[in-house]
Amino acid sequence: MSDVPSLVIIGGSNSLLRNGWVDQLKKLHPEPERVVNLSIGAATTAMGIYRLLSSTDLPPNPVIIWEYALNEANYSAHHQPVGVLLYHLRWLFEICARRGYPVLPVLLYNKAEATDEELHPYREKLASLLKRYQLKPVDARRFWRLRFAHLTPDRLYKDNPHYATDTQFPRALAKLVLARAAGAVIPRDTKPGNGLAGRDLRILAPSDSDARAFSNRILSCDIFPLTRSREIQMQGQLLACFLISSPNEAAIVFRSARGRRGPFSAQIGASESGPALQLKHLLLWNPQNPPLEVDGCLTITPRQKPLRGPIVQHTMAWRGPPKGEAEADPSRQGGVIGLLAEVGI
């Protein structure tokens, strides 16, 4: 085995592009089988946590490459609180610290950010958090301005959120990431205070017997269709829900003896590009509605016709109640695959 570290990438759609920077990273690594890409597009760090905690074939002693800054800037621009996004990122750093995984943040930017047409408050708060954890990122905007200023923004980017893959920039960025990965450090919170000690994260799922197996090129899992209520026994706080979503899902409500959250739309847009079934997440709390406390039974209830319009988060949609096509054809039906819960240890 070479001295080049194993790499695990968790990031958005730029990390999934054919001939993009991660493809180039695999070509540059002396043992490309030790580059594991767990990225999921149109998501945030919460999805990265799900992928990391549910993965069973991580290489030994990897460096975790985090590339969700661009996505989270977009989520924050669509009313997702920055505090929620960065709390999940703190948890990612905590998980990596407990496992002894170094972390290298790779900061990508929307085209409008790279040209300073857009400024997201998320970026400044992210920079403060990385400094707090003593993590020095690879900054793609700075790298472009220093080394690739001859590329115009229109040449550097395919569209606003995606870099072009037919320039030398993705390969050069991959070279920089590979060089910096060798010096990546384990996150260390320099301001622990009332930190995350005494708590942990768990991926939980129903135990019902009517789960349906789902598999694609990214993951294999069990789907629990949103055709009836589901129960999960747990003690802790509910942070997020992971779904296989389609354009024809119900709204869902999460309820415990301590309260409820929702309804949330579980639908994706009918015109959204990509497959009819897609891995999505719902972030189930905000500063005004803290994580739902559960001490026993959590019930997930589908609402075919919610009394009020459901909460529609970024990348989701609501076209009204399901039309019934999914029940007639289960292959078009999604459902819950897991929950992210913060629990005591």
Side-chain angles (χ1 to χ4, degrees):
M1 182 179 293
S2 72
D3 293 333
V4 180
S6 299
L7 305 175
V8 172
I9 297 94
I10 52 176
S13 54
N14 278 288
S15 295
L16 293 165
L17 294 176
R18 180 176 297 178
N19 296 320
W21 76 275
V22 174
D23 270 7
Q24 299 298 331
L25 193 60
K26 291 179 179 179
K27 293 175 183 177
L28 292 166
H29 199 288
E31 298 175 75
E33 68 276 7
R34 291 198 288 120
V35 179
V36 176
N37 193 358
L38 299 181
S39 299
I40 298 290
T44 69
T45 299
M47 183 66 78
I49 291 173
Y50 169 77
R51 295 282 281 152
L52 190 63
L53 293 182
S54 60
S55 180
T56 59
D57 57 353
L58 295 179
N61 305 313
V63 174
I64 305 300
I65 309 294
W66 175 79
E67 185 278 295
Y68 268 125
L70 183 154
N71 289 43
E72 295 196 347
N74 290 338
Y75 267 77
S76 70
H78 287 83
H79 313 297
Q80 192 66 53
V82 172
V84 171
L85 301 170
L86 295 185
Y87 185 76
H88 296 162
L89 183 54
R90 284 185 60 206
W91 258 118
L92 175 68
F93 294 161
E94 180 72 15
I95 292 166
C96 292
R98 292 179 186 182
R99 295 187 177 190
Y101 294 164
V103 174
L104 178 62
V106 175
L107 307 185
L108 304 186
Y109 294 81
N110 294 291
K111 178 181 176 182
E113 290 185 287
T115 58
D116 295 327
E117 294 175 40
E118 290 183 2
L119 297 174
H120 293 296
Y122 166 84
R123 294 288 184 176
E124 183 176 351
K125 294 180 180 180
L126 171 63
S128 296
L129 187 67
L130 297 181
K131 183 177 180 180
R132 169 177 166 175
Y133 280 85
Q134 300 183 314
L135 298 174
K136 296 182 179 180
V138 171
D139 189 304
R141 182 173 61 182
R142 184 179 301 125
F143 185 56
W144 165 54
R145 291 173 176 176
L146 288 175
R147 293 278 307 279
F148 283 84
H150 60 281
L151 292 180
T152 66
D154 287 341
R155 188 72 185 91
L156 182 68
Y157 284 87
K158 175 184 177 182
D159 52 37
N160 186 55
H162 296 109
Y163 289 79
T165 59
D166 59 351
T167 73
Q168 291 301 309
F169 184 79
R171 184 172 180 84
L173 180 64
K175 284 184 178 180
L176 179 60
V177 169
L178 193 61
R180 289 282 305 279
V185 300
I186 298 170
R188 186 176 72 85
D189 191 353
T190 59
K191 300 178 182 178
N194 295 321
L196 305 176
R199 288 175 278 171
D200 202 358
L201 291 187
R202 295 281 188 271
I203 303 296
L204 306 175
S207 56
D208 303 319
S209 60
D210 62 341
R212 179 167 57 85
F214 173 83
S215 182
N216 63 14
R217 65 183 181 85
I218 294 176
L219 83 162
S220 297
C221 62
D222 287 335
I223 297 178
F224 298 88
L226 294 169
T227 52
R228 65 177 181 86
S229 293
R230 305 285 174 176
E231 293 185 352
I232 296 177
Q233 297 299 315
M234 61 169 281
Q235 289 187 323
Q237 297 180 317
L238 185 61
L239 300 183
C241 176
F242 305 102
L243 309 160
I244 300 298
S245 296
S246 78
N248 204 46
E249 303 295 335
I252 49 178
V253 175
F254 302 84
R255 191 189 306 271
S256 76
R258 305 286 291 274
R260 58 173 280 173
R261 297 291 182 270
F264 294 88
S265 173
Q267 295 179 6
I268 55 174
S271 61
E272 184 168 332
S273 61
L277 296 176
Q278 298 183 22
L279 177 56
K280 294 288 186 179
H281 65 22
L282 299 172
L283 306 182
L284 302 178
W285 66 284
N286 58 54
Q288 290 72 43
N289 293 285
L292 179 64
E293 296 276 357
V294 185
D295 185 13
C297 182
L298 173 72
T299 303
I300 307 170
T301 304
R303 289 282 184 259
Q304 305 294 339
K305 297 180 180 180
L307 296 178
R308 59 184 175 88
I311 299 165
V312 182
Q313 295 193 346
H314 183 45
T315 80
M316 306 301 285
W318 181 250
R319 303 185 302 140
K323 302 297 191 293
E325 298 99 321
E327 292 184 16
D329 182 2
S331 67
R332 299 174 62 184
Q333 183 180 58
V336 173
I337 63 172
L339 302 175
L340 182 65
E342 184 177 299
V343 301
I345 55 175

